[in-house]
Amino acid sequence: MKKLTSVVATLALALPLAASPFAMTTTANAATVTPKATTHALTKATHFPAITMHAKAATTLNTIHFAADRAIAFVSPAKAKLSTKKTYTVTKTITLATGKHTSATYYLISEHGKALGWAKATTMIKGNAPTAKLKATKKTPRTKLTIAKKTTKVKSTKLTIKHPKASIKPTKKVTTLATKKR
């Protein structure tokens, strides 16, 4: 009985290994590089205190993957673009070489502290992004309102009562209210 259980256990453990070559699944490795990526030699990498910069023109950001065993960087364009109206923080710079040419690349961080990617140094300018200028609007002239004071004549009627049982006889006397000037 012991031999039978050991044979069944061996088959159960060996079956997944025997069936795996027939499975046609492929997995992407994290170290794989997209076909659009270009390979550059990494010549220098520096880290420095944060500097504020803004973009000269709207350009695309780059994503860079570094090789662990060699000084090589795989550069591929990212979907995001830089805005000329925003200020970015730069903390790292690397120098990449392609043949005889070298180019500096900055690591950008957004205003909210989110890592964005890498941008070429030729596309960046030191300092904050320029603020939007307000357009001067034509001011409407102020109109002065004058209120004319009208003098009105007030007519009053004076009633005189002689006796409670007597009939009321109204006498009309026109009086005007005059203001005295002092």
Side-chain angles (χ1 to χ4, degrees), residues 33-114:
V33 180
T34 60
K36 294 180 183 178
T38 57
T39 305
H40 300 281
L42 180 64
T43 58
K44 185 179 179 183
T46 56
H47 182 73
F48 48 85
I51 297 173
T52 57
M53 295 188 136
H54 66 278
K56 287 182 188 178
T59 57
T60 59
L61 286 169
N62 293 323
T63 303
I64 300 178
H65 298 284
F66 299 100
D69 56 348
R70 293 176 283 162
I72 293 178
F74 302 103
V75 180
S76 59
K79 292 180 181 179
K81 289 193 174 190
L82 290 177
S83 174
T84 57
K85 297 178 182 178
K86 291 185 179 179
T87 303
Y88 303 101
T89 305
V90 176
T91 58
K92 300 175 190 174
T93 183
I94 59 172
T95 305
L96 301 175
T98 54
K100 295 180 182 179
H101 302 286
T102 59
S103 64
T105 306
Y106 293 133
Y107 184 67
L108 301 177
I109 299 172
S110 70
E111 295 171 339
H112 305 292
K114 182 181 176 186

Side-chain angles (χ1 to χ4, degrees), residues 30 55 76 114 129 131 135 160:
S76 59
K114 182 181 176 186
T131 57
K135 292 182 179 179
T160 57

